[in-house]
Amino acid sequence: QTYGLTAQWYMAMGEERKCTQTLEYVLQHVMPYMDEKNVHNSFMIVYPLLWILKQRGQVQEARKVFEQHIRVPFDKHYGQGGTSFFMPLYRSVEILLDLATFDGEWPKGLNPIEELEDWALKQESGRVDDTLDTMSAQLGRGALGIWAEVMLLLAKRRMWSGQEVTKTRALVDKGLGLADLSLEKDRKEKGTEFGVVHVEEVLEELTEAHLNLGWCC
């Protein structure tokens, strides 16, 4: 279960070649031999790799890895009504990777973007179990930080297309609260530095968006 974190450590240390070697070894020589039913272990191995791929701009590859090694095996063996410790995180990870992949025209096969905005702004959206947030943070990206970036990417789409600002402000404000809470918890509970840096970048962008929206009508 430490393979993915080893790859993250190499990346944080600037050892890109070793990071790539470890990442490729996991995907080519470890995951093909994992028991498909053991989705929990698969998640703990693969999850840290998603954020390496995303940071490198390989978001579609990250989405493919998540689908192949987590979502498809979970649906196949457990299906609707099934559960796993990290399962409550699946949808927000998928939506984040979709938003990061399709920053232009939104594909017709996915949930309409307006539905995602309304879903993200629901009071219960972004409420995360403390243990789940801590465990995911120790694997490179806390659940709260993922939610904060979902808010950021939804808000940015609206800003780029010049849509009315009320909902955009609501997304930014909610994202700011989630990012602040994520960083507070990650620093206190020893989330990885790799994940902390990511959320700091999200917070910086949300703060800039908040200031820009302050100049709007």
Side-chain angles (χ1 to χ4, degrees), residues 154-169:
L154 286 169
K156 285 171 71 173
R157 292 183 68 90
R158 294 181 61 83
M159 293 173 74
W160 291 335
S161 58
Q163 296 183 62
E164 61 88 21
V165 299
T166 303
K167 185 182 282 188
T168 310
R169 284 195 180 108

Side-chain angles (χ1 to χ4, degrees), residues 1 26-27 30-50 65-66 68-71 73-74 84 86 90 139:
Q1 294 177 353
V26 172
L27 295 180
V30 176
M31 295 312 299
Y33 300 98
M34 285 289 293
D35 180 358
E36 271 194 351
K37 294 181 180 178
N38 197 344
V39 181
H40 180 79
N41 274 10
S42 294
F43 186 96
M44 294 188 73
I45 294 171
V46 164
Y47 185 76
L49 304 181
L50 302 179
V65 167
F66 187 85
Q68 179 179 350
H69 297 295
I70 307 299
R71 173 55 80 181
F74 180 86
S84 173
F86 289 107
Y90 289 5
L139 293 173

Side-chain angles (χ1 to χ4, degrees), residues 9 13 27 31 107 111 116 120-121 151 153 160 170 186 201 203:
W9 185 83
M13 296 296 293
L27 295 180
M31 295 312 299
N111 288 344
L116 291 182
L121 288 173
M151 302 301 162
L153 296 182
W160 291 335
D186 288 355
E201 292 171 354
L203 178 60

Side-chain angles (χ1 to χ4, degrees), residues 3-15:
Y3 283 115
L5 289 175
T6 300
Q8 279 191 6
W9 185 83
Y10 281 135
M11 190 173 195
M13 296 296 293
E15 298 277 1

Side-chain angles (χ1 to χ4, degrees), residues 67-186:
E67 186 78 7
Q68 179 179 350
H69 297 295
I70 307 299
R71 173 55 80 181
V72 170
F74 180 86
D75 289 348
K76 176 181 177 182
H77 296 289
Y78 303 101
Q80 189 174 5
T83 188
S84 173
F85 177 78
F86 289 107
M87 190 268 289
L89 198 55
Y90 289 5
R91 190 181 183 200
S92 52
V93 170
E94 290 168 336
I95 289 174
L96 172 57
L97 294 177
D98 284 342
L99 288 167
T101 299
F102 303 109
D103 56 0
E105 184 176 353
W106 191 248
K108 293 182 179 179
L110 300 178
N111 288 344
I113 200 73
E114 295 81 9
E115 288 185 11
L116 291 182
E117 292 171 351
D118 292 339
W119 168 74
L121 288 173
K122 286 183 178 179
Q123 190 173 7
E124 63 270 22
S125 295
R127 287 182 178 173
V128 176
D129 176 82
D130 284 343
T131 305
L132 176 63
D133 184 61
T134 299
M135 290 289 290
S136 55
Q138 290 172 352
L139 293 173
R141 196 70 189 274
L144 286 168
I146 289 173
W147 272 101
E149 190 168 2
V150 167
M151 302 301 162
L152 171 64
L153 296 182
L154 286 169
K156 285 171 71 173
R157 292 183 68 90
R158 294 181 61 83
M159 293 173 74
W160 291 335
S161 58
Q163 296 183 62
E164 61 88 21
V165 299
T166 303
K167 185 182 282 188
T168 310
R169 284 195 180 108
L171 289 164
V172 169
D173 289 346
K174 186 168 183 176
L176 281 169
L178 290 167
D180 280 332
L181 182 57
S182 175
L183 287 172
E184 178 185 342
K185 292 187 64 178
D186 288 355

